[in-house]
Amino acid sequence: MTSIFREGLYRGRHVFVSGGTSGINLRLAEAFGAAGARVSVIGRKADKLEAALLGLKAQGIEARGTTADVRDWAAVDDALEKAVRDFGKLDVVVCGAAGNFPAPAAGLSANGFKSVVDIDLLGTFNVCRASFERFNTPGASVINISAPQATQPWAMQAHVCAAKAGVELLTKSLALEWGPAGIRVNAIVPGPIADTEGMDRLTPTPESKEKLAALMPLQRMGTKDDVAQVALFLGSSAASYVTGSVCAVDGGMMLVGGGALMQIMS
């Protein structure tokens, strides 16, 4: 990744990434590590965790991790305690674990709805809350990963809309409460990012991906590096007066509206 940030910007700092074993979140872990951070990651599946750690270490990144389900408070608390023992107090925490699948509300089970809300919203709270006493303050930063569904109603996505709307207001509430403690809390809203599991589910064919890109004001799908650049900024001292912000990295998708993706999915 060609970065606007100098090499070593995060040297000596500890970055924790939930859901950091795959997709956008793994790319964020790689980006922070490339900038010098010691990186801790958690994920639910042991095989993905092992592969992620091998990949991070192959890039020369000092990385550790453990399996944990963000819905499980005790597991999250234990994982963060281990991370702090390994690398010291937390400078940046990325809450990225998420779940998604397209389903009509009338065909969505209560368990399916609850599963997404528990992973996205409860999981974000658990990681934030368990981090609070472990932050290196002042100057610590939380970056929550949201989605366009937080503010735009989408068919087939009622569960995600509810969960991510909660994530964004949680972000702002924590920014309000934790600012005096020297902790900044912001959110990133990735738009249509290529080569991600979520986008592959929503646009499963090359044709649907091409149609979606054509609807974007910037006329392309985003990349994981597009998201990583914004995360590097928000976690750094360059963003020292930024808190409670929700930053869209979506190529202008919010200007088009959720109906754009609905057209592709229909």
Side-chain angles (χ1 to χ4, degrees), residues 7-209:
E7 184 178 351
L9 177 67
Y10 281 87
R11 185 170 292 119
R13 301 183 72 189
H14 181 190
V15 176
F16 181 95
V17 185
S18 73
T21 59
S22 63
I24 291 173
N25 301 310
L26 176 56
R27 190 68 191 101
L28 299 188
E30 292 171 340
F32 279 109
R38 296 166 294 179
V39 178
S40 298
V41 298
I42 61 169
R44 284 190 296 161
K45 297 182 178 180
D47 57 340
K48 283 190 173 183
L49 175 68
E50 182 179 2
L53 290 176
L54 285 172
L56 289 165
K57 291 174 182 178
Q59 297 173 58
I61 296 168
E62 193 174 359
R64 305 276 178 87
T66 187
T67 55
D69 188 328
V70 294
R71 295 171 289 187
D72 183 340
W73 164 261
V76 170
D77 195 48
D78 287 347
L80 280 159
E81 182 61 27
K82 180 179 182 298
V84 169
R85 286 199 306 268
D86 288 341
F87 290 149
K89 287 191 173 183
L90 305 164
D91 293 289
V92 179
V93 168
V94 178
C95 298
N100 189 3
F101 53 89
L108 179 63
S109 69
N111 187 62
F113 186 93
K114 182 178 185 297
S115 178
V116 170
V117 172
D118 283 355
I119 295 170
D120 290 24
L121 180 53
L122 176 62
T124 296
F125 173 79
N126 282 345
V127 174
C128 288
R129 178 63 189 87
S131 299
F132 182 76
E133 287 85 4
R134 298 176 169 109
F135 278 119
N136 184 20
T137 58
S141 173
V142 177
I143 302 169
N144 294 327
I145 305 301
S146 185
Q149 294 95 315
T151 55
Q152 297 176 335
W154 288 13
M156 312 286 284
Q157 294 279 277
H159 45 324
V160 180
C161 290
K164 291 301 190 181
V167 167
E168 292 197 6
L169 273 180
L170 175 64
T171 297
K172 294 178 180 181
S173 296
L174 295 182
L176 185 66
E177 291 191 29
W178 292 3
I183 302 165
R184 297 182 298 105
V185 187
N186 295 289
I188 293 176
V189 185
I193 304 300
D195 300 321
T196 59
E197 182 178 351
M199 190 50 55
D200 286 343
R201 287 180 180 177
L202 295 173
T203 53
T205 66
E207 293 77 15
S208 61
K209 290 178 172 62

Side-chain angles (χ1 to χ4, degrees), residues 1-10 23-37 39 56 59 61 188 193 220 222-234 249:
M1 178 180 69
T2 301
S3 177
I4 61 173
F5 294 94
R6 68 182 185 275
E7 184 178 351
L9 177 67
Y10 281 87
I24 291 173
N25 301 310
L26 176 56
R27 190 68 191 101
L28 299 188
E30 292 171 340
F32 279 109
V39 178
L56 289 165
Q59 297 173 58
I61 296 168
I188 293 176
I193 304 300
R220 68 173 177 90
T223 69
K224 295 170 189 174
D225 284 351
D226 289 327
V227 183
Q229 295 280 20
V230 176
L232 287 170
F233 165 70
L234 288 175
V249 185

